[in-house]
Amino acid sequence: MSYPDQAPARRPAAVGLAATVLVLMAAGAVASAVAALLVLGGTVERFRSAAAGTSAAATQVDDVVLLLRGATVASAVVTVLVGVVLVGLAAGLRAGRPGARVATWAVCGLGALFGCCAVTALVGQRAVPLRLSADGRSAAELLGLVGDAYPGFWLAVNAALSVGQALGYLGVAALLVSPSASAWFRRRPPAPAPPATAHHPFR
């Protein structure tokens, strides 16, 4: 006799694939954070060279550089932490922990939400021009130079990584709702074997 709540005994392919995708996403996140730190020095140098031809004061340039460095380091730290969380979730999925499945769904939902918010903000900035006072035009001019200071491939690569991460979150969430995955996380641990009784034939 078979019991559905105890099957499958082996990890389904959907669960293994979801865990693998999470690990790959974690590796991509860490690589992205490292790359951002590596290109930071050259980006700052190119930005300072471009800002020298503007009417911005030196203190304004320094403020933007400080903002750029702080944002890059903070983003790298958060990205690495996200990578660590993804690896932990992948380990929990492979072990068949129901809590890891629920937590993965939550992380996938948050990742998709943040991605949509980032795209919406980008589209809004492109569609609606900023209306600044005369005092704020210098700062806006400097901020506009930041994007040009990055390497030419940077924006395209980051856009591709963002799309890949969003698709990865959606794929993982879809894999974890499959019937085989549901059966895997509903299974009960096998009942412990009864203790063997000692046999004394000559007693």
Side-chain angles (χ1 to χ4, degrees):
M1 176 181 291
S2 63
Y3 298 92
D5 56 355
Q6 293 181 351
R10 300 178 61 181
R11 184 188 311 114
V15 176
L17 181 58
T20 301
V21 172
L22 287 178
V23 172
L24 292 176
M25 291 171 62
V30 173
S32 175
V34 173
L37 294 176
L38 291 177
V39 303
L40 178 60
T43 301
V44 169
E45 292 180 2
R46 286 186 292 270
F47 168 75
R48 287 191 179 277
S49 299
T54 66
S55 59
T59 55
Q60 291 178 306
V61 175
D62 292 338
D63 289 342
V64 174
V65 169
L66 181 62
L67 176 63
L68 176 60
R69 286 176 173 163
T72 301
V73 173
S75 177
V77 171
V78 172
T79 302
V80 171
L81 291 178
V82 170
V84 173
V85 170
L86 294 180
V87 171
L89 291 176
L93 293 179
R94 291 180 62 86
R97 298 188 180 94
R101 185 192 189 197
V102 175
T104 302
W105 276 333
V107 170
C108 289
L110 290 174
L113 177 62
F114 289 151
C116 291
C117 291
V119 172
T120 301
L122 180 60
V123 172
Q125 287 179 352
R126 298 294 184 182
V128 181
L130 293 175
R131 300 181 182 278
L132 300 172
S133 62
D135 295 335
R137 287 175 185 169
S138 296
E141 186 179 7
L142 291 177
L143 292 176
L145 294 176
V146 172
D148 297 334
Y150 281 99
F153 63 87
W154 186 250
L155 294 180
V157 170
N158 276 270
L161 287 176
S162 297
V163 172
Q165 291 278 353
L167 293 177
Y169 283 126
L170 294 177
V172 168
L175 288 170
L176 293 181
V177 298
S178 63
S180 61
S182 298
W184 166 256
F185 289 104
R186 283 200 313 266
R187 78 194 194 288
R188 294 178 183 175
T197 58
H199 181 62
H200 303 282
F202 301 105
R203 175 175 296 180

